Amino acid sequence: MKQFLLIFLLMITGINVSAQRDTEHWIAPFYASSSVTQSLYLSTDSVTPFVVTVYSNNIALGTVTISKGSPQTYIVSAANISATSTSEGFTVINKGLYLNGEKPFYCTLRIVSSTTHAEILTSKGKAGIGKEFFVANTPSPFTSTGNNFTAGVLATENNTTVTATWSNTISVAFYGATPTTNTHTFTLNKGQSFIFAGSGSPAANMQSFIGAKIVADKPITLTNGNVLGNFGAASSQGADIILDQSVPVERLGNTFAMVKSRSPNASDIEGGIVVATENNTQVFLNGSATPAATLNAGQWYRISGSDYILQGGTHRNMFVSTSKNVYLYQLVSVNGSNATCGFNYIPPLNCFLPRKIDEIGKINEMPTGTGGASVMPSGTIIKLNILTEAGATVTVNNVAPTAAQGPYPVTGNTNWVTYALEGVTGNLTIVSNKAVTAGINGGYSTSGYGGYFAGFSSIPLIAKQTGDCIPGLVLEVDDSYDTYQWFRNDIPIPGANSNSFTPVISGNYTVRITVGSCPPAITPVYKVFTCLQQTTAAKTVCEGYLNIVPAFTSSTQTFVPSTVQIITPPTNGTAIINPTTGVIGYVPNFGFAGTDTITYKFCGNDPEFVDCEQITLTLTISESPIVNDATLRTCYLESNIATGEFNLTNASVTTQLGVTKKYYPSLTDANNQTNEILTPANYIAPNGVVYVRVSNANGCYRVAMITLVVLPPVKSAVLVDKEICIENRTTLDAGPGFSGYTWSTGATTQTISDVSVGTYWVDLKTGDCITRQTVKVYPTQQPVISNIDITNNDITVFVVGGTAPYRYSTDNINWQDSNVFTDLPRGDTTVYVKDSFDCTPIEVTITVPNIVNVITPNGDGVNDILDYSALANKPNLVLGIFDRYGIKIFEGNKDTGYKWDGTINKTKKVSTGNYWFNISWNESKNKTPIKFSGWILVKNRE
């Protein structure tokens, strides 16, 4: 939120702030040949007051509240920043400062020794920390045990390995050690420091450590110079504090401008020190095509004060350019006195410099008061030097400089101009509508000093705001640019458009920035790695062993089996890594139950950005439940007798308490917990099995099998359908062997009597099951007289249906087995028939007609016709006359009156002879077919 508010403020005010204005400042300690007093000077452009906390050796020393127009000082004890004993040289010590504020602020460490010596060390903020530096001191031609060189290193992170390498041709005498080689490696934790320092006796020792290369594997900061020193060539008299904070090599440039300080023109105490970082580095002055020097890495060149060019009035400046990036420190003094030496690290010129420096506080004060109080020493004169792009509009505290103050051209580079304002006081705000940087130099008769206040991170670089790796890592670039676009692996990150970014994925990160009319610039790659992810997990060991398969919690990488290692082995069991698969096999000690812990680590398969995770696994060793298989029986369902409804919860599969039971249709489902039976209390199924997963509170489980048995219907073998005469009654018997009977009649006995024709059921109970059995009492099928043939006085009765054998009667009293009755009288006769059930007989009344055997169709009125009209009331009456060949010659019907006169169609008389007749009808009552046949003699007179 604080960072967001800062960005918002910059957006609404249009301010581009400098790199030296920062939220964090690190200041390494220094070696002092004489006791000194020092105070921190803190200022800001924030109108809202905020707190700055001062730390040393990771311990908070105190706090300061600052705001715009209200800069503050904080007196620092020598015990926290300066070393005065040789025992503190060439060894790890706990000195140095770290400042942290809620908002960006400027920080300088101003150092004095009464009013005799003074210097301003300008903190570069995060721009002052890095991993590679080259040391700068000032040389001296005069031997002095009171002078020294100093290079103090302060670590910003734990376990920082630092290696220093210096000239292998020039010996160096250090305080605290006499190394036999030209290199030294040491390790620092955050807040710890190490000082390389040596005496000014012999004089050559003052320049022996210039150009030393210091490399660290984690960010450090470097304070270098002389406390005390004298770089004058004319006299050994006088000395002063010469000190400034360095910047890492990635912050360097190759184009510089300097404005001469407060000494005479040709003074041997002005100029500068150039330190090369690469071989074959050429140094050019004031646009000359001829190099003033060619240097290899670690070599240095001193620029003379006589190389300044008078640009008008008393204003002198110098343009310095190099073929490769270098360090440039401007040598400053007051009135050419060796007692007023100092130097400033000069930031390189480029269009990425800020547009505003707001504000430099208490510009003419130093901690020369009682106990280090901030006062203005008598005779102090401060000179403000401003460098900006040509054509820029510049103001200092809202006032434009006079023509005498600038702008002045820079010989050799027409793109830049310089200003010099002597006698400035108080708090300064420098504003330009183009790139600008500014510094001060000044002092009084016995001491001089200088300091630059912006431009130290003009080359965009990504730095860590907080953290070291993901998660917790926040990256940032300087907040002095107009636009930002973050990239991961050369792909723009949507919405990542502020000066800070929190990566969540490892990779190569860069930022493209723009400012003013400068072409866009892309930072060097910053490699982001994930932290060792430390997680906790818990598992239960149920069956006496457990295969632990490493798996990342959040990374998408695949773990590499060869990277698996056990950090902390279990104490109550054994763990063995399978070297091929990386799986850890864990077996608890015999008989052990309780908790055990194992910590293991593994890494992923990315070729560069490897993710690693360390898991502390808590194991609960628990026995699985004791289970047994069970069988459930249930009665069949009426709707589908092959199935039954089971209450699975009634299956006794364990006697242990505190267990959870879940039911599944298959063993696979039970193990995988899929397709759970959600209604186990009314589970409908046929004969078969289901499975129950029995789990205890620790998650251990075993599976038991439940056999399902559907009890089929049990029916009576003796209870069968019956046939009875419809008028009769019978007894139904369900048979023995059942535990209960319930009849549809309400009876509860094995048998029921006096049962008539109908449908009945009985519920037969066997155990808990009831089978309903239906039985029918049918009326027996009555026989049917299909037809009766009459021949003369004899009849033959034909019967179908019923159950043979049949019995026959004509009086319902006397019965015979034969179906033929003879010598029956003419007229109506009743025939009775019954079958083997001896039910009420069926009866048919028939008519036995009179028999006419002779007709004499001669017209005498006697036996002239065959007349069966008496049968005309019989249904379907048909009379047929047939000759001896069986050919029908006449058919009697209603039209003929059922009479035959011995002719064929009433036209031709038949010949005398025998003929056959056949008469058929249905009896009116029961439609029984009757057939009456015989012969007849026809006598015709010829």
Side-chain angles (χ1 to χ4, degrees):
M1 178 59 74
K2 295 174 183 177
Q3 186 67 36
F4 171 78
L5 291 175
L6 171 61
I7 295 170
F8 178 72
L9 179 63
L10 298 181
M11 292 171 61
I12 63 174
T13 60
I15 295 173
N16 284 311
V17 294
S18 68
Q20 191 268 335
R21 170 186 171 274
D22 214 331
T23 58
E24 291 183 291
H25 295 269
W26 299 82
I27 302 176
F30 54 87
Y31 188 91
S33 296
S34 61
S35 60
V36 293
T37 301
Q38 52 274 314
S39 290
L40 293 166
Y41 283 68
L42 310 176
S43 59
T44 181
D45 64 337
S46 173
V47 296
T48 302
F50 62 92
V51 173
V52 175
T53 303
V54 182
Y55 298 85
S56 181
N57 191 28
N58 307 310
I59 299 172
L61 303 179
T63 61
V64 179
T65 300
I66 61 175
S67 61
K68 181 173 175 59
S70 181
Q72 300 294 324
T73 61
Y74 182 86
I75 300 173
V76 177
S77 168
N80 298 123
I81 191 63
S82 63
T84 57
S85 169
T86 57
S87 63
E88 295 180 291
F90 219 85
T91 189
V92 176
I93 59 176
N94 296 319
K95 291 187 177 183
L97 300 175
Y98 167 64
L99 291 82
N100 182 279
E102 299 174 0
K103 300 177 184 294
F105 60 98
Y106 292 91
C107 173
T108 61
L109 180 69
R110 304 186 190 184
I111 309 164
V112 299
S113 177
S114 183
T115 58
T116 305
H117 309 299
E119 180 62 293
I120 296 178
L121 181 152
T122 307
S123 172
K124 313 307 190 286
K126 295 189 191 72
I129 61 174
K131 297 180 180 179
E132 184 177 341
F133 298 80
F134 284 79
V135 174
N137 310 119
T138 61
S140 175
F142 306 108
T143 298
S144 173
T145 57
N147 294 345
N148 67 42
F149 69 87
T150 177
V153 173
L154 175 66
T156 66
E157 298 181 25
N158 289 334
N159 298 315
T160 300
T161 300
V162 184
T163 298
T165 306
W166 53 91
S167 172
N168 58 3
T169 60
I170 304 174
S171 62
V172 183
F174 294 100
Y175 291 136
T178 305
T180 58
T181 65
N182 69 322
T183 185
H184 182 65
T185 298
F186 50 93
T187 301
L188 303 175
N189 283 328
K190 179 180 179 181
Q192 290 184 326
S193 54
F194 190 99
I195 298 177
F196 295 93
S199 171
S201 177
N205 204 41
M206 292 291 282
Q207 57 182 286
S208 299
F209 203 61
I210 300 176
K213 183 177 181 180
I214 298 179
V215 178
D217 63 347
K218 296 178 182 179
I220 59 173
T221 188
L222 172 67
T223 295
N224 51 202
N226 313 87
V227 186
L228 305 167
N230 173 2
F231 50 75
S235 172
S236 63
Q237 299 300 310
D240 205 350
I241 303 171
I242 306 166
L243 200 67
D244 205 357
Q245 185 179 78
S246 183
V247 296
V249 293
E250 65 265 22
R251 301 283 186 179
L252 302 179
N254 64 353
T255 305
F256 311 88
M258 299 188 297
V259 177
K260 192 175 183 302
S261 61
R262 294 182 56 225
S263 287
N265 177 32
S267 172
D268 64 345
I269 211 162
E270 293 273 355
I273 297 288
V274 175
V275 179
T277 63
E278 300 180 57
N279 291 340
N280 298 315
T281 297
Q282 294 178 310
V283 181
F284 302 93
L285 302 179
N286 297 314
S288 172
T290 302
T294 299
L295 308 174
N296 286 330
Q299 293 182 334
W300 57 278
Y301 171 71
R302 177 170 176 174
I303 300 172
S304 170
S306 62
D307 290 318
Y308 282 104
I309 294 178
L310 179 65
Q311 301 293 357
T314 61
H315 188 94
R316 298 178 183 271
N317 61 30
M318 184 190 309
F319 176 63
V320 180
S321 61
T322 57
S323 60
K324 298 177 182 179
N325 290 350
V326 299
Y327 288 89
L328 174 61
Y329 286 83
Q330 181 184 10
L331 302 178
V332 300
S333 65
V334 176
N335 296 325
S337 169
N338 287 350
T340 63
C341 297
F343 75 3
N344 292 334
Y345 167 78
I346 301 299
L349 298 175
N350 64 71
C351 65
F352 290 106
L353 290 172
R355 271 50 175 169
K356 186 175 186 180
I357 304 170
D358 185 12
E359 63 183 0
I360 307 172
K362 299 181 182 292
I363 200 71
N364 54 330
E365 294 184 19
M366 295 293 280
T368 57
T370 303
S374 181
V375 298
M376 185 179 74
S378 175
T380 297
I381 298 175
I382 302 298
K383 182 180 182 183
L384 172 65
N385 300 322
I386 301 173
L387 290 77
T388 188
E389 292 180 274
T393 299
V394 178
T395 62
V396 178
N397 289 349
N398 296 317
V399 177
T402 66
Q405 295 170 329
Y408 291 99
V410 175
T411 301
N413 191 326
T414 59
N415 295 324
W416 294 86
V417 295
T418 60
Y419 293 80
L421 288 73
E422 192 165 302
V424 292
T425 61
N427 306 327
L428 299 182
T429 297
I430 299 98
V431 178
S432 173
N433 62 346
K434 294 187 178 183
V436 66
T437 184
I440 62 169
N441 58 70
Y444 36 91
S445 61
T446 56
S447 62
Y449 43 84
Y452 256 79
F453 291 88
F456 305 115
S457 60
S458 55
I459 298 175
L461 288 174
I462 298 175
K464 294 182 297 184
Q465 186 181 92
T466 59
D468 297 313
C469 47
I470 299 171
L473 175 65
V474 179
L475 302 178
E476 68 174 1
V477 291
D478 302 313
D479 59 354
S480 59
Y481 308 117
D482 293 340
T483 66
Y484 305 85
Q485 175 59 63
W486 290 80
F487 293 78
R488 176 182 175 270
N489 297 338
D490 298 325
I491 299 173
I493 303 170
N497 306 117
S498 69
N499 75 302
S500 65
F501 180 73
T502 303
V504 295
I505 305 175
S506 59
N508 293 313
Y509 284 81
T510 55
V511 186
R512 183 182 64 213
I513 61 96
T514 63
V515 60
S517 60
C518 301
I522 296 179
T523 66
V525 169
Y526 190 102
K527 293 185 178 296
V528 172
F529 298 88
T530 58
C531 303
L532 171 63
Q533 185 171 4
Q534 299 190 46
T535 55
T536 59
K539 287 184 178 292
T540 299
V541 182
C542 299
E543 298 295 340
Y545 69 91
L546 177 67
N547 281 333
I548 303 170
V549 182
F552 283 103
T553 303
S554 56
S555 172
T556 58
Q557 295 181 18
T558 301
F559 85 93
V560 177
S562 60
T563 65
V564 179
Q565 56 181 305
I566 296 174
I567 306 301
T568 305
T571 57
N572 296 305
T574 59
I576 299 175
I577 301 172
N578 184 316
T580 302
T581 64
V583 175
I584 303 172
Y586 170 81
V587 179
N589 295 336
F590 180 77
F592 176 75
T595 58
D596 203 356
T597 301
I598 177 175
T599 300
Y600 59 97
K601 176 185 174 183
F602 54 93
C603 296
N605 61 339
D606 190 278
E608 181 177 11
F609 299 100
V610 179
D611 292 339
C612 295
E613 186 164 350
Q614 181 171 301
I615 298 178
T616 299
L617 178 63
T618 300
L619 301 170
T620 300
I621 292 81
S622 173
E623 294 183 354
S624 296
I626 299 173
V627 299
N628 53 268
D629 294 341
T631 299
L632 287 179
R633 294 175 174 83
T634 191
C635 304
Y636 71 95
L637 293 175
E638 288 283 354
S639 58
N640 182 356
I641 63 173
T643 63
E645 182 176 317
F646 296 89
N647 186 345
L648 302 181
T649 62
N650 288 338
S652 179
V653 294
T654 182
T655 59
Q656 291 181 311
L657 301 177
V659 296
T660 300
K661 292 181 283 186
K662 293 186 176 182
Y663 303 85
Y664 300 89
S666 72
L667 181 59
T668 300
D669 286 327
N671 285 320
N672 296 335
Q673 300 188 79
T674 55
N675 301 314
E676 181 184 356
I677 297 171
L678 300 177
T679 55
N682 52 356
Y683 181 63
I684 296 175
N687 289 333
V689 293
V690 295
Y691 296 87
V692 54
R693 180 187 177 106
V694 182
S695 307
N696 59 23
N698 290 324
C700 296
Y701 77 95
R702 282 197 174 103
V703 177
M705 183 175 70
I706 303 173
T707 300
L708 305 179
V709 178
V710 178
L711 299 175
V714 180
K715 293 188 176 183
S716 168
V718 300
L719 182 62
V720 294
D721 292 345
K722 285 189 172 185
E723 282 186 294
I724 64 171
C725 298
I726 194 168
E727 69 275 10
N728 289 352
R729 301 277 178 159
T730 188
T731 296
L732 297 178
D733 186 353
F738 299 98
S739 57
Y741 305 83
T742 300
W743 292 87
S744 55
T745 62
T748 57
T749 55
Q750 177 180 325
T751 63
I752 56 174
S753 303
D754 198 27
V755 175
S756 62
V757 170
T759 300
Y760 302 87
W761 53 259
V762 60
D763 286 340
L764 303 172
K765 187 174 183 182
T766 305
D768 292 329
C769 296
I770 294 175
T771 300
R772 175 164 291 189
Q773 185 171 343
T774 299
V775 62
K776 292 183 178 181
V777 179
Y778 295 98
T780 183
Q781 183 179 2
Q782 290 282 57
V784 176
I785 299 174
S786 61
N787 61 287
I788 299 175
D789 288 350
I790 303 174
T791 304
N792 295 326
N793 291 79
D794 301 335
I795 66 171
T796 300
V797 180
F798 296 93
V799 178
V800 296
T803 303
Y806 305 109
R807 302 195 71 202
Y808 307 87
S809 175
T810 56
D811 59 7
N812 200 20
I813 297 173
N814 299 302
W815 295 86
Q816 64 182 40
D817 295 329
S818 174
N819 65 333
V820 177
F821 293 92
T822 59
D823 296 327
L824 292 178
R826 303 294 178 178
D828 290 338
T829 295
T830 299
V831 178
Y832 299 90
V833 177
K834 60 183 178 180
D835 64 5
S836 61
F837 281 93
D838 198 24
C839 298
T840 300
I842 62 170
E843 58 181 82
V844 174
T845 300
I846 64 172
T847 300
V848 179
N850 290 328
I851 299 175
V852 178
N853 294 114
V854 179
I855 62 170
T856 57
N858 54 11
D860 61 359
V862 178
N863 294 328
D864 285 335
I865 62 174
L866 180 65
D867 183 2
Y868 280 104
S869 60
L871 298 175
N873 63 332
K874 300 292 186 178
N876 302 318
L877 178 64
V878 176
L879 169 62
I881 305 297
F882 305 86
D883 65 15
R884 60 181 178 173
Y885 299 108
I887 298 172
K888 183 185 285 188
I889 60 175
F890 176 80
E891 180 175 299
N893 50 38
K894 187 183 292 185
D895 294 336
T896 61
Y898 305 103
K899 299 176 182 179
W900 183 47
D901 60 0
T903 64
I904 297 175
N905 297 326
K906 291 186 179 296
T907 59
K908 180 181 180 181
K909 291 184 179 181
V910 298
S911 302
T912 298
N914 288 329
Y915 294 86
W916 296 94
F917 66 88
N918 188 343
I919 303 173
S920 62
W921 69 88
N922 292 94
E923 287 296 337
S924 301
K925 183 177 181 180
N926 47 25
K927 309 302 182 184
T928 300
I930 305 297
K931 185 179 180 182
F932 173 47
S933 60
W935 61 268
I936 185 172
L937 176 62
V938 179
K939 292 183 178 182
N940 280 317
R941 291 182 182 174
E942 303 296 338

